[in-house]
Each structure stands twice: as structure tokens, then as C-alpha cells.
Amino acid sequence: MIKRKDFVKTRNYLSALTIDLSIGFLFKFNNLMKNLIMDKNQIKIKNILVIKLDHIGDVLLMTPALGAIRKLYPEAHISCLIGNWAKEVLSGNRSIDEIILWDAPWHIRDSKKKWQCAEFFRLIKNLRSKKYDLSLHFRADIRNLALGYLVGAKRRVGYGRKGGGFFLTDNVPYPRQIHVIDEMLDVPAFLGASKKSKKLEFPFSLQDENYAKSLLRKFVKSPGKSQVIAINPLAGFPVKNLSLDKGRELADILIKRYGAQIIFTGTSEYSCQLKAIELSLKKGSCLSLAGKTNLKQLAALLSRVDLLITVDSAPWHIASVVQIPVVILYSGSGSLTYWGLYQDKQYIIHNNLKCNPCYEQFSCPLGYKNCIESINLEEIVKQVDIVLARHVGRYTCKKHDEIC
């Protein structure tokens, strides 16, 4: 039975409850009849569909679960249904055999893009023709579960806690108060997989490394002598963004305090604003690479810096793949227990306000982003001091002309 506390908004809870009560029993009866004819545990798993239509960071955090699935079913053909925006995340992933792309309307950030019914029905027809033995659902979303049901997999395993559990043959018990990586690992673990490895997988090529080197060759004048610090002030959801004025102030402080060389990263959408920040700072001390890398090239780039300072967005998780220290400026729009730290070298700065978590994505419900804007520069610099000393070693604090 779905519970009110699993929902942010009452209307979403009431909608899901109405659907479950009105038509859920029909699907449950249908599943029961099928189980009487064929024991689901006797189904030979040769063809698997993983449905994860979320955004870049979410898909990257799923990679440990993909590894667990591969170890459990080493001979199976594993396909992943993901959005176009995340295809680069799974490109080259050794745990899967096929990537299928479809942009789910409920995950598209561009509100101008319209629902394409013909495209949806073509997708369903294509997926049904593949005759999947097993579909896995990592997100408790009735729309994703309905999609999985229409695909027609013999066994459908996932979370039904937010409604639509009747679309599943196996409803995984929901483990509260755990990290999202553990939550996703619990789905293959339900089938008998191991949960030991939580390592993210995101390989990049030699060409990506060479491209990153070419971007930095002229900018980093003395490799190993001065700190190279990357700053990613912007995320896919505006409510998480650091103001560009504060981003500029932070860069200026880091340049003066450590003699650091600053790299701004981001999408092409913000390239003009970040380029303006570069030009406003001391010549040769800052470089904006916004819009100049894809995700793989960004991973190669971050592997060559000493520290990343970022808001809650995909570069945080990419930095964890290449194992560099990262300071996360966390807005609090999401649960810190669910989305928080999961590896060494990660440090979160977060002011726990009464309104956290709000689960909003595009705008602050109170009219101001006090959660992210209340993080002051002194807090950030203090954390950077600690991280550089702990992971980078001795560094010169230019402001006080001493070795810190």
C-alpha cells in the first residue's frame, strides 16, 4: 500500500492512491493468474531491459547496479532504455550490450518539446518485439512502471511505493533512509545479486585525454607548482545554481589566496556569462571551458585538476569517478541522506534550513534561494583550506605569504 510520507505533494499522493484503488486489483489478478500458469522464479533470464529515463547524474549513479546485474546474469543480453541526454554516460560501459534512446516527456527540461504519441507507440512496438524476460525499474514512478508493463517483459522488478506497483510482478521492499546508490543496488539484490561494489563506471578514451591536455597546455604554465581548481557553479535545475557574482568572487579569492589557476566548467548555455567572468579576472589566472567539452572530455579534464568546487550536479559524480577531491555546495532541494556523500574525497557544504528538502527544481517556493545563497564565501574557503592540505599537500597561502 502506498503511503502519504513517500510523496512531496498531497495531490500526487491522492492521484496515485486513486489509480491503485480503482484499477490496481485488475492487474494484480492478472499477475496472479499468470503465476499459476508459470512460476516466475522458473523463467530463464536471457534478455534484460533496464529502464532509467532520468538525467545524467542519476544514470551515472546507476552504474554500480548495472555491474551487479552483469555479475548475476553474465550470459544475458542487457539493454538500457535511457534519455538521449544520458547516452554518453553509458557509452563504453562493459556491463551492458545495448543502449536504447527515448526522451520521456516527464523528464524533458525543455518545456517547449511536445509529447509525440507516434514516437511512443513505435518505441513500445520495438521493445515488445525483443521479448524481454526481465525488466528492472530503479525509479518509483508510475509512468515508468506503466511503460515497463506495456513492453511485456515476463518478469518486472522494481519499486511501487509511489503507485503503480500492480504493474510489477515483483515489488521490491522500499528501504528508507539510505543513499540512492544503495536503493538502486537493492533491486538486483532482490534477485540475488551482490551489493558489495559501489564504484561508478564512466570510462573515457585516450583521445579524450589528449583533448583535455590540449585545452590545458597553454593555460597551466607550471604543472604541479600551482593548484588548478575547477569551479562548476551551475546545474540543470536553476534552484541549485550558485549566483554568477558569487562564483566570480570565489574565483578571485582563490586566485589571490593560493595563486591558483581557475577553470570554469558548464554547458554552452552559460558560456557567455562564464567567459565574461574569465575576462574580468587577472589575465592568465582563469579559463572558461563552458560548452567546450562533452562528458567524457570533462572527465578527462577533471582528472588533471587538483580540486573541483561544484553545485549539486553531474560534475560532482564525474569527479568521483576520476577520484579527485570535490567540495559540493548543496542547495538542499533534495534529501541529504538520499543524495549525499558516498565516497572518500567528497565534502559537502550545506545549511540545513527549515524548508529543506523542498524537492523543487526550477524555482524556490519561498521566492528566494536562501539554501544555496546562504553558503558564504568564508565557509567555502575554509573547506578548501582543509581539502587542499589533506589531499594536495603543502600549498602556499599567498594572502598571508606563508606555507599552509
Side-chain angles (χ1 to χ4, degrees):
M1 188 68 178
I2 62 176
K3 299 178 180 179
R4 171 63 186 89
K5 58 185 174 183
D6 287 331
F7 294 80
V8 178
K9 297 178 179 178
T10 300
R11 67 172 182 267
N12 293 344
Y13 163 69
L14 293 175
S15 298
L17 183 62
T18 301
I19 293 171
D20 269 25
L21 293 177
S22 59
I23 65 173
F25 72 95
L26 294 173
F27 289 87
K28 290 177 182 177
F29 179 76
N30 184 48
N31 288 337
L32 179 62
M33 292 297 101
K34 286 183 178 180
N35 286 338
L36 291 175
I37 297 171
M38 179 188 294
D39 183 356
K40 62 188 177 185
N41 294 311
Q42 299 303 315
I43 298 172
K44 292 184 178 180
I45 307 299
K46 296 180 180 179
N47 201 9
I48 300 172
L49 176 66
V50 175
I51 298 177
K52 188 65 175 172
L53 298 167
D54 305 48
H55 297 109
I56 293 169
D58 306 270
V59 175
L60 184 52
L61 292 173
M62 179 187 65
T63 55
L66 291 178
I69 298 165
R70 173 53 71 197
K71 288 180 181 178
L72 184 63
Y73 301 109
E75 303 300 322
H77 184 278
I78 301 176
S79 305
C80 275
L81 176 63
I82 59 174
N84 274 282
W85 46 75
K87 63 183 177 182
E88 201 177 347
V89 175
L90 296 187
S91 173
N93 189 294
R94 296 167 294 179
S95 297
I96 63 173
D97 301 291
E98 181 183 13
I99 297 173
I100 303 169
L101 301 174
W102 181 63
D103 296 344
W106 50 92
H107 286 302
I108 295 175
R109 288 172 176 162
D110 182 4
S111 59
K112 296 179 181 178
K113 187 168 182 179
K114 296 180 179 180
W115 167 267
Q116 300 289 335
C117 290
E119 181 185 355
F120 175 74
F121 288 120
R122 281 195 299 269
L123 171 74
I124 296 299
K125 183 179 178 180
N126 175 43
L127 294 177
R128 287 185 70 88
S129 70
K130 296 177 182 290
K131 300 185 183 301
Y132 291 105
D133 303 306
L134 172 67
S135 64
L136 298 173
H137 307 258
F138 295 106
R139 184 184 177 96
D141 189 315
I142 192 171
R143 297 162 296 190
N144 291 6
L145 302 184
L147 173 63
Y149 181 84
L150 292 173
V151 167
K154 296 174 185 176
R155 193 171 182 186
R156 303 175 297 279
V157 181
Y159 293 111
R161 66 186 179 92
K162 290 189 176 181
F166 51 83
F167 287 126
L168 301 168
T169 58
D170 299 81
N171 208 323
V172 180
Y174 179 60
R176 297 183 182 281
Q177 300 299 314
I178 64 171
H179 196 274
V180 61
I181 294 177
D182 294 301
E183 181 190 69
M184 288 191 278
L185 280 168
D186 275 349
V187 175
F190 179 83
L191 297 169
S194 170
K195 289 181 59 178
K196 288 183 180 180
S197 177
K198 298 181 183 179
K199 185 178 180 181
L200 307 186
E201 184 178 349
F202 186 54
F204 53 87
S205 67
L206 180 60
Q207 287 84 354
D208 297 321
E209 287 192 65
N210 289 336
Y211 180 74
K213 286 180 184 178
S214 69
L215 290 176
L216 297 178
R217 188 172 294 122
K218 293 181 180 180
F219 176 64
V220 181
K221 300 172 183 176
S222 305
K225 292 186 178 180
S226 61
Q227 279 69 47
V228 180
I229 300 175
I231 300 177
N232 181 71
L234 304 163
F237 292 121
V239 76
K240 299 178 179 181
N241 289 349
L242 188 70
S243 71
L244 290 175
D245 285 342
K246 186 169 281 189
R248 185 203 173 282
E249 287 182 66
L250 175 61
D252 191 41
I253 290 171
L254 297 178
I255 292 166
K256 293 175 180 176
R257 184 175 179 82
Y258 310 115
Q261 292 184 281
I262 305 299
I263 296 171
F264 276 101
T265 64
T267 62
S268 56
E269 179 184 359
Y270 299 104
S271 58
C272 291
Q273 296 96 316
L274 294 177
K275 185 66 176 178
I277 292 177
E278 173 194 329
L279 296 174
S280 70
L281 296 170
K282 181 182 175 182
K283 187 176 180 180
S285 63
C286 180
L287 176 67
S288 172
L289 295 178
K292 294 185 179 179
T293 65
N294 59 32
L295 292 175
K296 301 280 189 180
Q297 293 163 350
L298 177 61
L301 175 73
L302 291 180
S303 72
R304 309 185 72 81
V305 307
D306 296 301
L307 169 68
L308 170 68
I309 303 171
T310 180
V311 293
D312 175 16
S313 62
W316 164 11
H317 311 301
I318 294 173
S320 299
V321 172
V322 298
Q323 298 184 327
I324 64 164
V326 53
V327 173
I328 305 106
L329 312 180
Y330 196 80
S331 69
S333 60
S335 165
L336 198 56
T337 301
Y338 190 72
W339 293 106
L341 303 178
Y342 56 89
Q343 282 186 7
D344 293 336
K345 299 184 180 181
Q346 297 180 349
Y347 302 85
I348 278 184
I349 301 176
H350 168 59
N351 292 331
N352 190 21
L353 307 180
K354 290 182 179 180
C355 55
N356 295 156
C358 66
Y359 300 104
E360 294 292 337
Q361 297 173 332
F362 293 99
S363 61
C364 173
L366 299 179
Y368 53 86
K369 296 192 300 180
N370 202 34
C371 53
I372 188 72
E373 292 302 332
S374 65
I375 297 175
N376 61 56
L377 295 173
E378 289 75 16
E379 288 179 272
I380 301 172
V381 172
K382 184 178 179 180
Q383 187 65 74
V384 170
D385 277 346
I386 294 170
V387 174
L388 288 179
R390 184 174 297 170
H391 297 289
V392 182
R394 291 158 61 85
Y395 62 91
T396 304
C397 182
K398 297 288 186 182
K399 186 174 181 180
H400 304 293
D401 195 27
E402 62 184 11
I403 298 296
C404 302

